[in-house]
Amino acid sequence: MSILVCGGAGYIGSHTVYKLIEQGNDVIIVDNLQSGHLKAVNKNAKFYKGDIRDSKFLEKVFYENKIESVLHFAANSLVGESMVKPLLYFNNNVYGMQILLETMVKFNIKNIVFSSTAAVYGEPKRIPIVESDDTNPTNTYGETKLTMEKMMKWCNKAYGINFVALRYFNVAGALEDGSIGEDHHPETHLIPLILQVPLKKREFITVFGTDYPTADGTCIRDYIHVLDLADAHIKAVKYLENGNESNIFNLGNGIGFSVKEMIDAAKEVTKKDIKVVLGEKRAGDPAQLVASSEKARKILEWSPKYTNIKEIVKDAWTWHETHPNGFED
Ligand code: UFG
């Protein structure tokens, strides 16, 4: 039996595929390579290039393989872009999920592990955030992911499809040997942007807002290593394959770091000075986002191994230093 990974050529998908294969699983990858990279496709997986919204294509994949479980990473995921192109996000994310679920129903596939996000919560009422807290997304991206969670909930009731939704906080890092890593176009995430300064690809990093109600005035986020996420996905697949009920889990380290602390960590790791410009707030940024991952620790028996922020930044640096132009190198 195989595991189907939709979006297996993307950042989190490719790291999860690497770990699945390392642990002896048979993996099928589906990716349209819109934001994924051919060079990130694991050579030991069977690869189908195509779009999950193309039901004929997806049915062919299910027909040709004995699939037991699905890992679903295939989605658009840029918050800013989602606000100016909401229909693109509804089409790719929500409609993509509809076709995927319809195909799962048709082929009687019962398990799906889904890439969700802390963006489903919106502005948090308390820190750390627990899974039962209110969900009021403040951007289209978070709204599409919340809708996708709800689609799975109703398909669970109607068709017995079991799901685990994993709500990630700020994903960072790369495979330790630097062979795969983060490569977004355009790049909007803090750590890769900071590291572009010592790589001489940008002159300075702008700090978005310095008067937040935090100790140093900059935003606090919970950074989680991509390999810890990969580990959680594999545990979630086993959880479903062992017959456990559908569930939702936060995934974070449980420790918050400010933008200034992240820049300091990058200075230490790269041993280079990093020019900083203090800028205006970015619209829609909550002051603090920190996860409670107690539920995942208890039920999935997952715990993050990369709890030192410098270790996370070091792995990101190994990747970016050796691939300054991402997978184009
Ligand atoms: N930041 C800067 N300067 C930059 C870029 C980012 O100061 O040049 C700050 C942001 O304001 C924020 C922090 O760095 O406070 C982290 O920003 P990211 O863009 O790296 O990440 P976000 O917290 O905005 O978003 C992440 C994921 C989203 C997910 C969201 C959940 O990237 O996919 O967490 O809230 F939706």
Side-chain angles (χ1 to χ4, degrees):
M1 295 296 271
S2 305
I3 297 175
L4 172 65
V5 182
C6 300
Y11 173 41
I12 305 167
S14 62
H15 286 80
T16 305
V17 167
Y18 177 89
K19 283 284 167 193
L20 280 167
I21 286 173
E22 193 183 61
Q23 294 176 22
N25 295 286
D26 266 340
V27 177
I28 317 293
I29 296 175
V30 161
D31 202 300
N32 64 5
L33 300 182
Q34 186 194 82
S35 51
H37 304 275
L38 191 57
K39 285 186 184 165
V41 172
N42 196 297
K43 295 206 167 25
N44 296 310
K46 188 167 168 189
F47 176 51
Y48 289 85
K49 181 174 181 289
D51 197 301
I52 59 166
R53 289 168 293 182
D54 177 350
S55 58
K56 290 270 166 307
F57 160 75
L58 207 55
E59 281 176 19
K60 180 177 182 312
V61 175
F62 278 85
Y63 184 76
E64 289 181 359
N65 299 283
K66 280 198 160 58
I67 292 164
E68 184 171 15
S69 300
V70 176
L71 285 172
H72 184 26
F73 298 94
N76 287 97
S77 64
L78 300 178
V79 171
E81 184 186 56
S82 79
M83 297 301 280
V84 290
K85 295 180 182 168
L87 296 174
L88 174 87
Y89 276 67
F90 279 102
N91 186 289
N92 194 25
N93 296 3
V94 175
Y95 180 61
M97 178 63 110
Q98 181 177 330
I99 300 297
L100 178 59
L101 289 170
E102 281 173 3
T103 315
M104 288 178 68
V105 171
K106 214 174 229 175
F107 285 82
N108 200 26
I109 311 295
K110 295 293 186 197
N111 304 322
I112 177 167
V113 175
F114 171 60
S115 257
S116 191
T117 169
V120 300
Y121 294 110
E123 189 74 42
K125 289 211 181 71
R126 59 170 171 178
I127 296 291
I129 300 169
V130 298
E131 291 82 351
S132 54
D133 284 352
D134 289 350
T135 47
N136 288 308
T138 52
N139 54 63
T140 312
Y141 166 63
E143 191 73 68
T144 62
K145 290 276 174 161
L146 186 59
T147 306
M148 293 157 90
E149 286 190 4
K150 288 179 180 171
M151 291 165 85
M152 294 187 299
K153 180 182 90 176
W154 296 109
C155 288
N156 177 237
K157 289 188 201 300
Y159 312 115
I161 290 180
N162 297 307
F163 71 93
V164 166
L166 298 174
R167 293 176 175 167
Y168 324 146
F169 283 61
N170 288 61
V171 189
L175 202 62
E176 285 126 337
D177 68 3
S179 57
I180 48 174
E182 188 170 9
D183 183 10
H184 294 117
H185 299 276
E187 188 51 81
T188 62
H189 296 102
L190 180 66
I191 297 177
L193 289 178
I194 296 174
L195 296 177
Q196 284 179 3
V197 182
L199 285 172
K200 302 204 184 323
K201 295 194 70 190
R202 89 175 34 238
E203 205 189 324
F204 54 83
I205 180 77
T206 307
V207 175
F208 293 153
T210 51
D211 61 351
Y212 282 99
T214 58
D216 65 16
T218 68
C219 281
I220 290 178
R221 293 288 181 272
D222 181 337
Y223 295 88
I224 178 87
H225 198 292
V226 65
L227 292 179
D228 279 329
L229 285 192
D231 182 36
H233 283 83
I234 295 169
K235 287 198 153 66
V237 173
K238 302 287 169 245
Y239 168 89
L240 290 178
E241 288 178 357
N242 288 336
N244 292 296
E245 63 182 21
S246 295
N247 223 326
I248 295 178
F249 300 100
N250 285 342
L251 294 178
N253 255 315
I255 311 163
F257 289 92
S258 72
V259 173
K260 281 190 178 163
E261 286 173 327
M262 295 307 292
I263 296 170
D264 288 342
K267 282 182 187 165
E268 277 192 53
V269 167
T270 61
K271 299 188 180 60
K272 304 210 173 156
D273 193 32
I274 294 175
K275 188 175 168 195
V276 176
V277 168
L278 304 180
E280 295 300 314
K281 283 181 178 164
R282 186 171 68 176
D285 269 341
Q288 269 198 67
L289 286 175
V290 180
S292 162
S293 303
E294 284 314 306
K295 194 175 162 192
R297 287 173 191 264
K298 208 186 276 168
I299 298 177
L300 293 180
E301 296 177 353
W302 168 83
S303 62
K305 293 180 189 68
Y306 301 84
T307 50
N308 181 332
I309 197 65
K310 278 189 262 170
E311 226 181 325
I312 298 178
V313 175
K314 179 174 84 51
D315 288 345
W317 178 236
T318 304
W319 157 255
H320 288 291
E321 203 183 14
T322 51
H323 300 78
N325 299 313
F327 285 100
E328 275 170 30
D329 288 334

